[in-house]
Amino acid sequence: MSSSLPKLFLRKKISDRVVSGHPWIFANELGDHDGSAQPGDIIDLHSYNGSFVGRGYYNPASQIRVRLLTRKADEPIDASFFKRKIQDAWNYRQRLGYVENCRLIFGEADSLPALIIDKFGNYFVLQTLALGIDRWKAEIVAAIQEIFSPSGIYERNDVPVRELEGMAQQKGFLSAPFDTNIIIHENGLRFHVDLENGQKTDYFLDQQDNRKAIEKVVNGAEVLGAFTYTGTFEIHAAHYGAKSVLGLDISEQAVAQANRNAQLNQVQDRCHFEALNAFDMLKQWTREGRQYDVVMLDPPAFTKSREHIQKAVSGYKEINLRGIKLIRPGGFLISSSCTNLVPPHLFLETLSAAAKDARRTLRQVSFQTQSADHPILWNVPSTQYLKFVIAQVL
Ligand code: SAH
């Protein structure tokens, strides 16, 4: 079927990445075009010899010139396409057992590049991170309305990556206004979530299974958590029987919310949070010889660019080295990394190097990734980003 959409052509030599299903086409992979494509348009991508490759959106201002939405020549991109994709994604999450909260759309992994939708009960938070998907915001919102009859939809497009696509940062209601302070449930606990002012979409759903996984190792423990944000790991630790939990985050706002979350779950007598720089405190307390049974580290992504991978690795090594030194023999290190560009093997090697420097041995309890509502597509490596380790420190 030939469509009337603008046409772009790949160069003669097509990368394995594109052949094996990766949806991104970089500037240097494109050859000819028919000249009619405008920024944000849906285009048809053809191979050098003219055969149909896929259909997606185009942005000449981005290094990722095209992101494919479909490889089916007879699939139009229209309102019903988005509704079908969102319904498919919800069916998949339901099948995996998700009911209340989940990442409903995880971009490329749900064949909707640069679109993020998080579901918190009947509230939805949306991010459109590329121009070509932003164009379809109204259709996407209509699809959420039709499928879920939601209590509210909020846009958290206040993220710098939009500027690479020539778009402004913005946030606000995409439905009738509602109270954006909500309470969600996870693993039998409750958490305040501030959809309007929190980081990203405010709640890190990707760690849901990992928070549950700490149950085995925190009973009776003195726990130190660093980079706690609103305290989800720490409150889980207290709930799972930790004797005492101290959480550190540099953000006063996060710490206030974390302390409110401790109260909400009635663990405030055993679990509290302080606004401190974790790098400084880990250093100082190692020097002072403080000891804990469990140290949990969940820092923000250390780099988003390839040139700085080594710096990110040094950052991980430093905090894990200090974390390990703070752990009593036989205690546990619980360490996360969400830096996309640090692959799992490199993160494990870094922990191993940190243990060596601390003259300690790590015995792995578990090594996990993000929860299943953030699916990993094997032909799109960047969909796997979270590394989560529980290890005994001998
Ligand atoms: N564990 C959290 C997510 C942590 S996100 C959860 O599961 O919800 C990373 C956090 O690190 C952010 O809250 C950020 O404020 C904090 N942070 C960044 N730099 C920091 C520093 N130097 N010291 C302490 N916290 C820091």
Side-chain angles (χ1 to χ4, degrees), residues 199 204 211 227-229 232 249-250 276-279 298 300:
Q199 293 180 20
F204 292 94
R211 286 188 277 259
F227 311 95
T228 61
Y229 190 43
T232 59
D249 199 282
I250 202 155
L276 290 168
N277 185 325
F279 287 100
D298 185 13

Side-chain angles (χ1 to χ4, degrees), residues 120 180-184 191-195 201-203 257:
F120 297 108
T180 52
N181 288 294
I182 62 168
I183 290 179
I184 65 163
F191 294 97
H192 291 286
V193 172
D194 178 352
L195 301 178
T201 64
D202 192 57
Y203 192 84
Q257 186 84 315

